[in-house]
Amino acid sequence: AQSVTQLGSHVSVSEGALVLLRCNYSSSVPPYLFWYVQYPNQGLQLLLKYTTGATLVKGINGFEAEFKKSETSFHLTKPSAHMSDAAEYFCAVSEENYGQNFVFGPGTRLSVLP
Amino acid sequence: GAGVSQSPSNKVTEKGKDVELRCDPISGHTALYWYRQSLGQGLEFLIYFQGNSAPDKSGLPSDRFSAERTGGSVSTLTIQRTQQEDSAVYLCASSPGTRRTGELFFGEGSRLTVL
């Protein structure tokens, strides 16, 4: 069964600093990987996803993530944090099997300090 | 609208009462999920519907929880004899189908408070 871990339940960065949110997964088959963002009192929306092909994927709002199979990681980065990036970020993994296809990590709350 | 619609957005109920939460997925999406998000917690999978197949109920926490999906579209999550620990945001999501590349499209959730 697949699982997702996110190191750090809360990350704080200064405005303009690098954002790095960590995600590691376990999967018995090649995974499809996702990052979702949740702003306060809203549902989740997709930031980016990796399916096949290029391991560095770019998403909305200047975020990108790199799939590293050898490290079973899919860390999310953004070169320069903006105040509007403050939100909860969830990493998720998907496998093709019957039933529940998506497993979410516990989430990382990103705070951006002025 | 074009997105996933959930109602009510907020529900306050007394312990022991039954509640129904509704989800209207994106038209044409065959997969529908319910998740529970407790305060400060991640997403807890509850149930998954895929087309006309039998639902995956493996995440339902107790027999007080049930869900149905009528006509392959609208879904209702029912919680009987609510308890205070049921207080959470209940999120619904839909997806185009079984393809692994399908992302989930989430509604804004139904916030349940049990007094």
Side-chain angles (χ1 to χ4, degrees):
Chain A
Q2 66 269 40
S3 66
V4 178
T5 57
Q6 293 182 239
L7 184 62
S9 59
H10 187 200
V11 171
S12 293
V13 300
S14 298
E15 190 173 19
L18 170 72
V19 176
L20 171 61
L21 303 182
R22 299 178 185 274
C23 172
N24 288 87
Y25 69 91
S26 67
S27 176
S28 58
V29 299
Y32 287 6
L33 296 159
F34 306 79
W35 276 99
Y36 286 84
V37 61
Q38 184 180 33
Y39 298 104
N41 300 314
Q42 295 186 25
L44 282 70
Q45 65 181 85
L46 184 70
L47 265 182
L48 50 79
K49 65 180 180 182
Y50 167 78
T51 55
T52 59
T55 56
L56 180 64
V57 292
K58 296 184 184 298
I60 61 173
N61 302 336
F63 284 93
E64 61 182 37
E66 186 172 11
F67 169 55
K68 292 187 176 180
K69 183 178 178 180
S70 61
E71 299 179 5
T72 61
S73 69
F74 190 57
H75 301 330
L76 181 71
T77 60
K78 181 174 180 178
S80 177
H82 192 273
M83 298 296 289
S84 62
D85 295 327
E88 188 89 19
Y89 292 80
F90 294 92
C91 183
V93 63
S94 170
E95 290 185 358
E96 186 174 16
N97 53 32
Y98 175 76
Q100 183 202 169
N101 295 81
F102 294 84
V103 174
F104 285 83
T108 297
R109 180 169 300 279
L110 175 66
S111 296
V112 181
L113 308 174
Chain B
V4 176
S5 179
Q6 291 189 246
S7 61
S9 55
N10 279 285
K11 175 71 175 180
V12 179
T13 191
E14 294 179 347
K15 178 181 174 180
K17 296 287 182 66
D18 296 352
V19 297
E20 286 188 350
L21 307 176
R22 175 189 169 103
C23 173
D24 200 341
I26 292 173
S27 178
H29 281 193
T30 59
L32 187 147
Y33 301 74
W34 282 99
Y35 289 88
R36 179 167 69 176
Q37 187 175 28
S38 301
L39 186 62
Q41 301 297 310
L43 275 71
E44 176 187 4
F45 166 75
L46 296 178
I47 189 168
Y48 162 65
F49 295 90
Q50 173 55 52
N52 295 321
S53 302
D56 178 355
K57 305 179 181 180
S58 61
L60 295 178
S62 77
D63 59 8
R64 296 186 296 105
F65 288 73
S66 63
E68 63 178 19
R69 188 178 184 193
T70 55
S73 182
V74 172
S75 176
T76 302
L77 176 68
T78 301
I79 309 173
Q80 295 178 311
R81 305 181 303 281
T82 52
Q83 304 294 313
Q84 289 184 332
E85 60 263 30
D86 299 334
S87 296
V89 176
Y90 290 82
L91 292 168
C92 176
S94 70
S95 178
T98 58
R99 293 182 60 204
R100 293 168 61 192
T101 54
E103 67 183 85
L104 295 183
F105 295 81
F106 283 85
E108 295 196 346
S110 292
R111 182 178 298 277
L112 174 65
T113 303
V114 181
L115 302 177

